[in-house]
């Protein structure tokens, strides 16, 4: 475990390199703080022994001024130490958070298929904030406290080594208690992090799926589940509180007993005239014991903060070091495609040894509109995912204009392919920004002109604030059909070489369908279009229909050609499903 922690710590420290001067500055302020803090009790001793007992008022005033200056220097060192430590921590967290987000956006879709969203949010927000505490509340505070203890011990031995030995005799008890406390707290913190992650995942999923929860009257069941998760979270924190409640009173008792013994022993020596100590020593040691024992107690507390940060850092680095990145090894910049597409014996499965595509071969000529039909699970949407390289194929080859898509840079490939999904995702932003996706190359004028061309400008202008209408989270302010229209416009303004409609007209009203049919005719002109079909009209008008079943292409041809096949798959599908849709 120590090796793992050391490895994590080294990874974190790499992020301090751009801020090395500030890192060194924090150490310097920590040293200054330790010296000035330990100097005050020594000056108090000198004041009592040299000026208060001899009743030297002028010397007393001088030392009071000196102590005031030292106090001001200590306050200034404390301020800059705390400010710079937090400043450094926040800058490091900023860099890690940016790197993590960039890393997440480069992952294969397979990673998101298996990773709960709530867990990823916890890693990206809560865990990263805990990393900041490694610097602001952990590492530098521990360094500062250790330095203060060392400097205090030096002053104590310099002032009265006999009293110092008495103080050191109590240290093993506190050190042992601190060691046990640290081990217990590490386990407790890991459990707290696990329960926080579980709670975030549960809440995120239920809030997102609240409509399902209410439609199926699952409120009471989900309430009981949440109570159970919340109790586990509460129990984890209570264990944390219990360990703190035991340790800190023990530390206070040890400190108080040591101070009491010093006062008794020193006082008796003064009364007996042994010259072992002075009144100044007793005054100074009441402060020095606190300055020696409190940092040790705080080190345990700060160690907990650091431990929490290390646990969080471990989870963040697990994501940063994941090998789930899309392999963007292509060197070619994708040009404006003519649009011919070919799949050659493509095999693929989302899970190992469970193939979804079992040797698919198909070709699409440039400028053609093809429809892909088949039962649910036949592999239709998988073809679209592979064409965009959301997943890597197991074997075979996919090419566009005769060039393997692996040879293209990923971003340039996807720029030439626009997809309109059945389940349209809109951000909590304006319609304009949801269409342009903040692409500076697409102006408002471009969007308005495109909307007019495909016939949906008036629909947008009828909304409050028109193109500046905020659709809220996931586009809840719009109907399914309206969201589809926005998705069509978003695809159109990107001016793709290849257009993909993934059952884009499957759940909309008749008015929106009419607008989408008109839009489809416009945006498919002059470019290759692939339609995963649901509505009959789209299938009939396609240049070619590809029929899939159980991961294989079973038939290809025009609507008329496929209907002429006796007992053909498409013919049966048409009669059982599409004909029923047409008669509605």
């Amino acid at each position: 475990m120590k090796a793992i922690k050391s490895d994590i710590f080294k990874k974190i420290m790499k992020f301090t390199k751009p801020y090395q001067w500030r890192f060194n500055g924090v150490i310097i302020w920590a040293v200054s703080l330790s010296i000035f803090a330990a100097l005050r009790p020594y000056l108090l001793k000198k004041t009592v022994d040299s000026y208060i007992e001899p009743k030297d008022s002028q010397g007393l005033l001088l030392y009071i001024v000196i102590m005031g200056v030292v106090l001001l220097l200590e306050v200034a060192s404390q301020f800059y130490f705390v400010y710079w430590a937090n400043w450094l921590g926040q800058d490091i967290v900023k860099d890690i958070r940016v790197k993590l987000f960039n890393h997440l956006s480069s992952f294969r879709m397979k990673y998101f298929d298996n990773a709960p969203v709530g867990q990823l949010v916890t890693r990206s927000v809560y865990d990263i904030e805990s990393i900041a505490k490694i610097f602001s509340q952990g590492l530098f505070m521990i360094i500062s406290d250790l330095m203060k203890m060392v400097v205090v011990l030096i002053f104590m031995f310099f002032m009265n080594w006999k009293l110092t030995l008495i103080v050191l005799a109590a240290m093993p008890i506190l050190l042992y208690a601190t060691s046990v406390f640290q081990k217990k707290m590490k386990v407790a913190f890991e459990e707290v992090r696990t329960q926080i992650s579980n709670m975030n995942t549960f809440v995120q999923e239920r809030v997102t799926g609240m409509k399902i929860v209410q439609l199926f009257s699952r409120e009471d069941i989900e309430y009981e589940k949440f109570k159970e998760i919340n109790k586990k979270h509460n129990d984890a924190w209570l264990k944390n509180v219990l360990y703190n409640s035991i340790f800190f009173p023990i530390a206070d008792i040890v400190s108080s007993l040591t101070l009491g013994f010093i006062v008794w022993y020193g006082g008796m020596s003064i009364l007996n005239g042994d010259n072992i100590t002075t009144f100044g020593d007793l005054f100074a040691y009441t402060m020095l014991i606190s300055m020696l024992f409190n940092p040790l107690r705080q080190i345990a507390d700060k160690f907990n903060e650091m431990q929490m940060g290390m646990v969080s850092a471990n989870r963040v680095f697990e994501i940063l070091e994941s090998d789930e990145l899309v392999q963007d090894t292509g060197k070619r910049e994708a040009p404006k495609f003519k649009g011919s597409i070919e799949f050659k014996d493509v095999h693929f499965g989302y899970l190992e040894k469970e193939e979804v595509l079992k040797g698919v071969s198909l070709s699409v000529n440039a400028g053609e509109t093809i429809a892909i039909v088949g039962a649910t699970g036949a592999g239709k949407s998988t073809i679209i995912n592979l064409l965009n390289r959301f997943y890597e194929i197991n074997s075979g080859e996919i090419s566009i204009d005769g060039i393997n898509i692996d040879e293209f840079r990923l971003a340039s490939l996807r720029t030439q392919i626009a997809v309109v999904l059945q389940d349209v995702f809109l951000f909590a932003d304006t319609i304009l920004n949801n269409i342009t996706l903040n692409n500076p190359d697409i102006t408002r004028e471009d969007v308005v002109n495109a909307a007019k061309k495909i016939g949906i400008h008036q629909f947008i202008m009828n909304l409050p604030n028109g193109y500046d209408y905020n659709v809220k989270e996931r586009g809840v302010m719009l109907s399914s059909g309206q969201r589809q229209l926005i998705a069509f416009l978003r695809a159109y303004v990107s001016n793709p070489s290849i257009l993909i409609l993934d059952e884009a007209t499957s759940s909309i009203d008749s008015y929106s369908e009419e607008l989408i049919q008109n839009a489809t005719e416009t945006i498919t002109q002059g470019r290759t279009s692939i339609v995963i079909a649901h509505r009959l009209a789209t299938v009939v008008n396609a240049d070619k229909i590809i029929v899939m079943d159980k991961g294989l292409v079973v038939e290809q041809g025009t609507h008329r050609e496929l209907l002429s096949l006796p007992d053909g798959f498409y013919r049966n599908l048409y009669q059982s499903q599409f004909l029923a849709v047409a008669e509605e």
Side-chain angles (χ1 to χ4, degrees):
M1 184 61 70
K2 290 182 179 179
I4 294 175
K5 290 195 294 185
S6 174
D7 184 52
I8 295 170
F9 185 72
K10 288 178 181 178
K11 293 173 184 176
I12 295 172
M13 292 304 292
K14 288 181 180 179
F15 285 90
T16 66
K17 289 183 179 179
Y19 311 103
Q20 193 62 49
W21 66 271
R22 203 185 308 163
F23 182 92
N24 296 335
V26 175
I27 301 297
I28 292 171
W29 288 120
V31 172
S32 301
L33 178 60
S34 303
I35 293 173
F36 292 132
L39 189 58
R40 282 192 297 112
Y42 175 74
L43 291 174
L44 179 62
K45 166 191 163 55
K46 295 292 291 182
T47 302
V48 172
D49 290 342
S50 301
Y51 300 104
I52 293 180
E53 277 196 276
K55 298 181 181 179
D56 183 350
S57 59
Q58 287 186 338
L60 175 63
L61 180 61
L62 174 63
Y63 262 72
I64 292 296
V65 172
I66 292 174
M67 282 193 289
V69 172
V70 170
L71 179 61
L72 290 176
L73 292 173
E74 182 184 351
V75 169
S77 299
Q78 178 81 17
F79 169 78
Y80 283 108
F81 170 73
V82 172
Y83 181 79
W84 281 31
N86 280 273
W87 182 19
L88 177 64
Q90 287 302 319
D91 276 349
I92 289 171
V93 161
K94 175 194 67 177
D95 294 345
I96 295 176
R97 185 182 286 117
V98 169
K99 185 174 181 179
L100 179 64
F101 183 83
N102 183 57
H103 205 66
L104 283 171
S105 64
S106 302
F107 277 166
R108 300 185 182 102
M109 286 297 110
K110 183 179 180 180
Y111 182 86
F112 299 101
D113 293 341
N114 300 318
V117 174
Q119 187 181 88
L120 293 178
V121 171
T122 301
R123 301 290 182 270
S124 304
V125 181
Y126 193 90
D127 281 339
I128 285 187
E129 280 301 324
S130 293
I131 295 175
K133 294 181 180 179
I134 292 177
F135 298 95
S136 62
Q137 301 295 327
L139 175 65
F140 292 127
M141 290 296 182
I142 292 173
I143 291 174
S144 175
D145 287 341
L146 287 173
M147 286 182 177
K148 187 179 294 184
M149 291 174 65
V150 170
V151 174
V152 165
L153 278 172
I154 291 172
F155 272 88
M156 290 175 76
F157 272 108
F158 177 74
M159 286 189 289
N160 193 315
W161 65 270
K162 292 181 180 179
L163 292 182
T164 303
L165 290 177
I166 295 173
V167 174
L168 290 178
M171 293 290 286
I173 300 173
L174 198 54
L175 288 171
Y176 176 75
T178 301
S179 175
V180 173
F181 177 66
Q182 289 171 351
K183 292 176 182 177
K184 295 291 185 182
M185 288 302 293
K186 180 182 182 301
V187 176
F189 277 133
E190 288 179 343
E191 178 63 20
V192 167
R193 283 292 175 272
T194 299
Q195 296 307 325
I196 287 174
S197 179
N198 291 341
M199 180 177 287
N200 286 346
T201 299
F202 183 89
V203 172
Q204 189 274 332
E205 288 181 345
R206 269 59 184 183
V207 170
T208 303
M210 187 57 68
K211 183 179 291 186
I212 299 299
V213 171
Q214 295 182 356
L215 278 173
F216 289 90
S217 300
R218 295 272 302 179
E219 293 93 338
D220 292 340
I221 296 174
E222 299 301 333
Y223 169 71
E224 292 299 326
K225 285 185 178 180
F226 182 76
K227 280 176 61 178
E228 183 180 348
I229 292 174
N230 194 39
K231 185 179 184 304
K232 289 180 179 179
H233 175 262
N234 186 58
D235 291 344
W237 269 113
L238 284 177
K239 190 178 293 185
N240 184 306
V241 172
L242 175 63
Y243 294 146
N244 279 283
S245 301
I246 294 173
F247 172 75
F248 289 111
I250 290 175
D252 286 339
I253 290 171
V254 173
S255 177
S256 298
L257 289 175
T258 304
L259 178 58
F261 189 80
I262 288 290
V263 171
W264 173 80
Y265 179 78
M268 290 299 293
S269 69
I270 292 173
L271 293 175
N272 294 331
D274 294 338
N275 295 322
I276 293 176
T277 186
T278 65
F279 281 111
D281 287 337
L282 292 183
F283 272 98
Y285 268 72
T286 57
M287 295 178 63
L288 289 169
I289 288 173
S290 175
M291 294 173 66
L292 182 65
F293 280 29
N294 280 348
L296 185 59
R297 194 185 83 164
Q298 291 170 4
I299 283 174
D301 192 30
K302 302 309 177 187
F303 183 85
N304 295 336
E305 296 287 352
M306 192 165 178
Q307 196 77 269
M308 186 182 294
M310 296 289 275
V311 171
S312 297
N314 187 34
R315 296 184 176 189
V316 171
F317 284 121
E318 282 178 0
I319 298 176
L320 287 174
E321 295 169 358
S322 171
D323 60 356
E324 293 292 336
L325 293 175
V326 176
Q327 299 303 310
D328 189 8
T329 56
K331 304 297 183 182
R332 291 184 180 226
E333 192 73 22
K336 187 71 175 178
F337 291 134
K338 294 178 182 178
S340 63
I341 302 170
E342 187 170 9
F343 279 60
K344 295 180 181 178
D345 193 28
V346 173
H347 290 257
F348 170 77
Y350 294 101
L351 300 175
E352 191 175 353
K353 297 181 180 179
E354 291 186 23
E355 284 193 337
V356 176
L357 300 186
K358 304 170 183 177
V360 169
S361 296
L362 59 87
S363 61
V364 182
N365 297 324
E368 275 189 337
T369 296
I370 71 161
I372 304 177
V373 301
T376 300
K380 305 185 298 296
S381 295
T382 299
I383 286 180
I384 307 310
N385 289 333
L386 297 181
L387 188 61
N388 280 281
R389 288 198 60 201
F390 289 137
Y391 299 87
E392 301 297 328
I393 62 177
N394 298 342
S395 63
E397 181 181 329
I398 304 173
S399 61
I400 299 178
D401 292 346
I403 301 172
N404 192 313
I405 60 173
D406 291 344
E407 297 183 23
F408 296 116
R409 287 184 55 252
L410 193 60
S412 67
L413 171 69
R414 291 176 178 170
T415 299
Q416 295 300 322
I417 303 173
V419 183
V420 179
L421 299 171
Q422 177 182 358
D423 183 19
V424 177
F425 186 93
L426 298 180
F427 296 96
D429 206 336
T430 64
I431 284 181
L432 180 65
N433 289 339
N434 269 290
I435 293 169
T436 65
L437 298 178
N438 296 305
N439 184 343
D441 296 328
I442 304 175
T443 66
R444 176 185 286 263
E445 185 179 359
D446 294 333
V447 173
V448 172
N449 290 337
K452 289 178 179 178
K453 285 181 181 178
I454 65 175
I456 65 173
H457 172 70
Q458 195 57 47
F459 140 68
I460 296 174
M461 293 305 296
N462 288 338
L463 296 171
N465 298 323
Y467 289 88
D468 296 313
Y469 180 57
N470 193 311
V471 300
K472 305 300 180 184
E473 187 175 1
R474 301 179 68 88
V476 295
M477 303 304 292
L478 302 178
S479 68
S480 297
Q482 290 172 327
R483 289 197 294 270
Q484 289 288 0
L485 291 169
I486 298 302
F488 265 76
L489 184 53
R490 179 160 64 191
Y492 186 49
V493 296
S494 66
N495 193 26
S497 302
I498 298 170
L499 175 68
I500 298 170
L501 307 179
D502 188 354
E503 302 200 38
T505 60
S506 62
S507 57
I508 57 176
D509 56 85
S510 57
Y511 172 72
S512 297
E513 181 182 5
E514 184 179 350
L515 289 176
I516 287 178
Q517 292 296 347
N518 294 332
T520 302
E521 292 179 9
T522 302
I523 67 178
T524 56
Q525 290 178 4
R527 57 172 58 91
T528 302
S529 303
I530 301 175
V531 180
I532 295 181
H534 184 85
R535 299 287 178 132
L536 176 62
T538 308
V539 177
V540 172
N541 296 329
D543 296 315
K544 181 166 59 177
I545 300 169
I546 295 174
V547 186
M548 297 191 66
D549 182 42
K550 298 178 181 179
L552 294 168
V553 175
V554 292
E555 294 174 0
Q556 295 188 55
T558 64
H559 173 68
R560 187 182 299 275
E561 290 170 347
L562 293 177
L563 282 182
S564 66
L565 296 177
D567 199 30
F569 192 96
Y570 176 78
R571 180 188 178 94
N572 293 333
L573 189 66
Y574 173 79
Q575 291 176 343
S576 63
Q577 180 182 355
F578 292 144
L579 195 58
V581 173
E583 291 173 351
E584 289 180 356

